[in-house]
Amino acid sequence: QSAPAAAPLGRMSAGTSDLRRETVKTKVASEALTEQAAQFINEGGRCASHLLFCEFIDNSLHAMAQRRAEAARGELLDDWIEVHLIYDYDTRGGARLTHIAILDSGPGMSQDNLKGWAEYHKPTEKRQEHIRGAALLTQKNSAANSEDMPFRANGELSRFGVGSKKAGFFYGSCLTAVSSIRRGAEVREMRMDKDRFIAQEAAGRDWDSNEIVSRDRLNRKNRTEEEKASPALLALYDRADKLPSYALFVISKIHANKADELKDSQVPAIASQLRDMYFVFTDGLQAALER
């Protein structure tokens, strides 16, 4: 084996682990992470567990719209979003939901973006003030005669607005954000684990201190034991790392009552509801107007 390469100047090194770590303040209200279930109710007979993926989908669509606002005319962009429900079929009593993952091929999140996303009560306009595409998109959508409002196109987007972190902790007690902004760039990860926050707080330590971990692509050294037990999730991490840019959100430690609401037999119904929500994007604008 060849010797590990030295860390480039300006990059924090963690010895031979190939993981670079930066401590950041996430400013996540620990109480809020334990009270999300009460904040969502069934709306119009639809199950909240079937809909709150939309928080992540909305974020992805918004990021892609920002990139399109900044892109050169005629530039081709391969934009897509996937929702993955990962089940363990080796358990007694049938399939058990172990992870929820939302992957998009958008522009990814820079270190500043990732820090801003993690700050629980920081207004969106403050988190995005340094993103040129965000400013261009806001300007474009505020024009009096604008006919191109990509992230509001179906009248449903942005109606949720409760935040992807709240939605993530509605489903489970651990939320991991993984992203890279261009081909060849390192991958940045931040894991927000409610159990860790509570343990830190109980020990009198700085509970809202967290880490952004930077790693090379296809490096699995930051994977947890729970993640390592899921071949499908590991394959998804590897596939994401082969994309030019991406954002991946993984929800783990799924709450038992949410797992009951998201059984594998319900996946077709969930897919149908998401398609109804985003029919402009799945079926095309003309079909949506006719509908």
Side-chain angles (χ1 to χ4, degrees), residues 168-182:
F169 286 103
F170 171 81
Y171 289 112
S173 61
C174 183
L175 175 60
T176 304
V178 187
S179 187
S180 187
I181 58 174
R182 64 182 177 275

Side-chain angles (χ1 to χ4, degrees), residues 22-24 26 190-192 196-197 208-212:
E22 179 188 359
T23 301
V24 296
T26 56
M190 178 180 286
R191 181 173 293 116
M192 305 174 78
R196 177 180 173 274
F197 287 144
D208 68 342
S209 178
N210 210 334
E211 287 183 335
I212 293 179

Side-chain angles (χ1 to χ4, degrees), residues 7 20 25 34 54 56 59 75 82 85 116 123 148 161 168 170 202 206 216 224 227 232 236 257 269 278 280 290:
R20 283 79 64 187
K25 299 285 280 188
T34 66
C54 296
F56 297 93
N59 285 352
E75 181 180 354
E82 297 176 349
L85 303 179
D148 183 15
F170 171 81
D206 191 7
D216 297 327
T224 66
E227 290 174 328
L236 184 61
N257 61 333
Y278 296 101
V280 166
E290 291 174 357

Side-chain angles (χ1 to χ4, degrees), residues 28-34 193-209:
V28 176
S30 62
E31 302 83 5
L33 304 188
T34 66
D193 190 325
K194 190 188 78 173
D195 295 335
R196 177 180 173 274
F197 287 144
I198 291 174
Q200 294 257 110
E201 194 171 22
R205 295 196 295 269
D206 191 7
W207 63 268
D208 68 342
S209 178

Side-chain angles (χ1 to χ4, degrees), residues 7 17 23 28 53 58 77 81 112 136 179 190 197 201 215 218 226 240 251 259:
S17 70
T23 301
V28 176
F53 308 111
D58 282 8
L77 298 172
I81 305 167
D112 286 339
L136 290 171
S179 187
M190 178 180 286
F197 287 144
E201 194 171 22
R215 62 171 175 81
L218 300 175
E226 182 189 27
I251 305 167

Side-chain angles (χ1 to χ4, degrees), residues 15 18 21 35 73 104 106 138 145 180 208 254 269 273:
D18 298 321
R21 303 177 185 273
E35 298 172 357
R73 184 179 296 274
D104 72 57
T138 299
N145 297 317
S180 187
D208 68 342
I254 305 296
Q273 289 185 57

Side-chain angles (χ1 to χ4, degrees), residues 2-265:
S2 60
L9 292 176
R11 177 181 293 175
M12 286 157 290
S13 176
T16 59
S17 70
D18 298 321
L19 301 177
R20 283 79 64 187
R21 303 177 185 273
E22 179 188 359
T23 301
V24 296
K25 299 285 280 188
T26 56
K27 299 181 182 178
V28 176
S30 62
E31 302 83 5
L33 304 188
T34 66
E35 298 172 357
Q36 300 314 317
Q39 297 195 19
F40 302 108
I41 60 173
N42 289 357
E43 180 182 343
R46 297 178 294 181
C47 179
S49 294
H50 293 186
L51 289 176
L52 285 177
F53 308 111
C54 296
E55 285 297 337
F56 297 93
I57 295 173
D58 282 8
N59 285 352
S60 295
L61 288 169
H62 199 169
M64 290 173 179
Q66 291 173 0
R67 179 168 66 173
R68 287 183 178 274
E70 194 175 1
R73 184 179 296 274
E75 181 180 354
L76 296 178
L77 298 172
D78 182 21
D79 289 345
W80 48 262
I81 305 167
E82 297 176 349
V83 176
H84 293 258
L85 303 179
I86 299 176
Y87 295 86
D88 180 1
Y89 287 89
D90 294 328
T91 58
R92 295 179 181 179
R96 177 177 61 90
L97 180 67
T98 59
H99 301 88
I100 299 169
I102 298 89
L103 171 66
D104 72 57
S105 64
M109 303 168 71
S110 68
Q111 186 138 327
D112 286 339
N113 295 157
L114 193 54
K115 288 179 182 178
W117 170 81
E119 291 189 26
Y120 200 75
H121 294 296
K122 191 170 185 177
T124 300
E125 60 270 17
K126 287 294 184 183
R127 285 189 274 118
Q128 298 186 349
E129 61 185 1
H130 61 284
I131 304 174
R132 180 170 178 267
L136 290 171
L137 185 63
T138 299
Q139 181 181 2
K140 189 174 186 179
N141 285 337
S142 62
N145 297 317
S146 175
E147 296 178 356
D148 183 15
M149 301 178 70
F151 70 100
R152 301 176 189 169
N154 64 1
E156 293 286 352
L157 297 183
S158 300
R159 68 186 288 270
F160 297 95
V162 298
S164 56
K165 293 181 294 297
K166 284 187 177 183
F169 286 103
F170 171 81
Y171 289 112
S173 61
C174 183
L175 175 60
T176 304
V178 187
S179 187
S180 187
I181 58 174
R182 64 182 177 275
R183 190 181 299 278
E186 63 184 7
V187 177
R188 294 185 175 91
E189 303 187 9
M190 178 180 286
R191 181 173 293 116
M192 305 174 78
D193 190 325
K194 190 188 78 173
D195 295 335
R196 177 180 173 274
F197 287 144
I198 291 174
Q200 294 257 110
E201 194 171 22
R205 295 196 295 269
D206 191 7
W207 63 268
D208 68 342
S209 178
N210 210 334
E211 287 183 335
I212 293 179
V213 176
S214 300
R215 62 171 175 81
D216 297 327
R217 291 175 180 246
L218 300 175
N219 182 332
R220 290 184 172 182
K221 292 183 180 179
N222 199 41
R223 304 281 61 84
T224 66
E225 292 304 314
E226 182 189 27
E227 290 174 328
K228 291 176 183 177
S230 175
L233 182 61
L234 291 178
L236 184 61
Y237 275 119
D238 288 351
R239 185 171 145 247
D241 276 358
K242 296 175 183 178
L243 296 172
S245 60
Y246 71 91
L248 171 64
F249 295 90
V250 179
I251 305 167
S252 307
K253 300 182 180 180
I254 305 296
H255 302 312
N257 61 333
K258 298 302 176 290
D260 288 341
E261 294 173 358
L262 295 169
K263 292 186 180 298
D264 59 339
S265 60

